Amino acid sequence: MSDAVVTRLRVPAGARTWRVDAAVLALLAIVIRLPAYLADAHLTYDDGVFGASALLLRDGELPYRDIFSPQGPLFLPLVWLGDLVGLRTANAPRVLALAAGAVVTVATYATGRRITGRGGAILAAGLVTTSGSVLWTTAPVAADGPALALATSAVALAFGYRERPTTARAIAIGVVMGAALCVKVLVLPALIPVGVLLLSRRRSRDVALAVGAAALAGVAATAPWGFDRVWDQYIEYHRGSARISSHTGAARKLVTTLLERDPFVVAAGVLAAVTAGVRRHRPARREPAPPGGDATMRLAAWLLAAWAAAVAAVLILEPAFWRPQLAEIVPPLALLAALRPAPPAALAVAFVAVAPWFLAHVNPILWPDDYDAREAAAVDDLGALPDDSAVITDDPGLAWRAERRVPGDLVDSSIKRIEQGQITTGVIVDTARDDDVCAVLVWHDRYADLPGLGAELERSGYEEAARYGDERVLYTKGECPASSTR
């Protein structure tokens, strides 16, 4: 009887390091965001709006029909899923932000492994996960974070497709890119690298399937809520936005935000450019080529630069450019800086030098503060209202932290809705007459500046129950248990 021959199948060393690196980087991304995840206060306006939206989703209310939703049709379903995974605890909606932070980090690393060495890939992923701009959109609940995570994943898949083209990968690229656009359309510039890389293999069938998969993803994400509702709240609403700054002002905001929130990315990019210039004039020993060769690196450089430039152009042209949207430019810039990075010693010195500046601008999201005395008092007073009551407010985060619902049509109280006439004194007063609405909390100028709001509420049976300063007022219905006057 002959001895059996056993052949051991070994996992390639590259695959093992890929898995270890990805796991460590994902864990790092989550750990950095844990203080924000556990924060008792809402961290940003969007964090409050979408946290309050999650409470409505728990009650079975639907996006676009019951809940005003200015983001893409896939976003609130993802919030619902994150809330479910988080077991619907107080901070559970932020599970989506945690996942987005981990995914965009690993996707950046995956792209880096296709176009540069392992060290460069780790550097790019580290720059992305510690980016202040990315942190501000992947620690609180925000649409920019999951949209960026999906778009960056599509780019990573596209680089993998160029290396080893398969129909399954092409379809996956289409689904993921389509999903990204169904969260936030501002990630459209990622289509530049995705499209070029798909076309580079000249497999027309794969391209057609990818486009079809993206279209089907869009239809599947939109159809349940109604195409007309999604168009009105997602597209027309933003098209009607007033410009908040000139093109020059938007460009200035882009540069200053990048310098303040992303000094590590800027430092790595500047050092990489300087290093490239030195090497061009003083050739040193040839460095190892990336996995796909020097041609892959050159193509990657052009595509990443085009991606970053397109993001900058879109943000400058966007009428309402808000600072969190700058997160979209960070992955391409980080990958560009990591293609031929500066020596580790130079990077270490630069990072140590800019660390204090970084912490000064990003500390509020790394270690969020608790509510101040007035905010805490307002949350307590809202929490004293009946459990099944709703509250109208221009700071939905306070209602969320008090675990009180905001009427779905008013859960987003942004200034754009007031400018477009969607929220007026009459709208608020009419909604305040609903049986389940028990209080109106005026916290910002958005509602404080509405003409005659306080007088109209008092004529509708409300009374002033508490004050938290000159203009911050809580009105409650007479039959509701009033908060103690402050």
Side-chain angles (χ1 to χ4, degrees), residues 18-19 21-27 29 33 98-117 120-129 134 138 145-160 176-177 180 190 193-194 197 304 307 330-332 334-335 338:
W18 200 106
R19 294 171 186 172
D21 290 347
V24 171
L25 287 165
L27 180 61
R33 290 159 176 78
L98 274 182
V103 170
V104 71
T105 300
V106 174
T108 302
Y109 170 79
T111 300
R113 287 300 293 260
R114 300 289 186 186
I115 63 178
T116 186
I122 292 174
L123 172 62
L127 291 173
V128 166
T129 202
V134 175
T138 58
L148 180 62
L150 287 166
T152 308
S153 297
V155 173
L157 287 169
F159 273 107
V176 175
M177 193 67 227
V194 168
L197 291 167
L304 294 172
W307 180 12
V330 173
L335 286 162

Side-chain angles (χ1 to χ4, degrees), residues 45 95 97 100 204 220 241 275 293 336 397 405 412 435 454 459 477 483:
Y45 173 75
V95 166
S204 56
S241 299
T275 301
L336 276 171
R405 294 180 298 106
D412 186 329
D435 292 339
R459 275 194 285 270
K477 279 181 180 175
S483 304

Side-chain angles (χ1 to χ4, degrees), residues 248-460:
T248 302
R252 188 181 305 112
K253 182 191 292 187
L254 188 153
V255 173
T256 56
T257 302
L258 198 61
L259 290 173
E260 290 174 359
R261 295 186 174 181
D262 300 296
F264 294 143
V265 177
V266 173
V270 170
L271 285 175
V274 171
T275 301
V278 171
R279 287 170 177 163
R280 186 175 296 113
H281 291 92
R282 270 192 326 183
R285 64 180 179 84
R286 182 171 177 81
E287 299 183 11
D294 288 333
T296 295
M297 182 173 286
R298 285 193 294 271
L299 175 63
W302 282 107
L303 292 179
L304 294 172
W307 180 12
V311 170
V314 167
L315 294 180
I316 291 171
L317 294 174
E318 165 69 14
F321 164 32
W322 303 102
R323 297 182 80 189
Q325 294 168 348
L326 190 66
E328 295 171 26
I329 206 171
V330 173
L333 290 183
L335 286 162
L336 276 171
L339 277 177
R340 287 294 194 198
L347 286 170
V349 171
F351 290 165
V352 170
V354 301
W357 174 266
F358 169 79
L359 291 173
H361 289 91
V362 183
N363 188 62
I365 201 68
L366 287 175
W367 299 102
D369 293 330
D370 293 329
Y371 282 136
D372 63 27
R374 292 177 179 178
E375 291 166 331
V379 170
D380 289 343
D381 291 344
L382 294 178
L385 299 172
D387 290 345
D388 58 350
S389 64
V391 55
I392 298 171
T393 178
D394 54 357
D395 197 331
L398 297 174
W400 171 39
R401 303 319 292 179
E403 298 186 2
R404 294 296 176 266
R405 294 180 298 106
V406 180
D409 190 49
L410 296 178
V411 72
D412 186 329
S413 58
S414 66
I415 189 65
K416 289 195 293 186
R417 298 196 69 199
I418 295 174
E419 291 172 346
Q420 294 180 28
Q422 296 182 15
I423 297 179
T424 63
T425 297
V427 169
I428 292 175
V429 173
D430 286 345
T431 307
R433 295 192 181 106
D434 292 348
D435 292 339
D436 61 335
V437 177
C438 194
V440 177
L441 176 64
V442 177
W443 199 259
H444 298 289
D445 290 344
R446 290 191 292 273
Y447 282 6
D449 289 345
L450 290 175
L453 178 59
E456 290 297 324
L457 286 171
E458 290 175 355
R459 275 194 285 270
S460 298

Side-chain angles (χ1 to χ4, degrees), residues 127-182:
L127 291 173
V128 166
T129 202
T130 57
S131 157
S133 294
V134 175
L135 279 167
W136 278 102
T137 56
T138 58
V141 189
D144 300 271
L148 180 62
L150 287 166
T152 308
S153 297
V155 173
L157 287 169
F159 273 107
Y161 175 85
R162 184 178 185 275
E163 186 176 307
R164 285 191 301 168
T166 66
T167 299
R169 281 187 175 179
I171 293 172
I173 291 167
V175 170
V176 175
M177 193 67 227
L181 293 170
C182 286

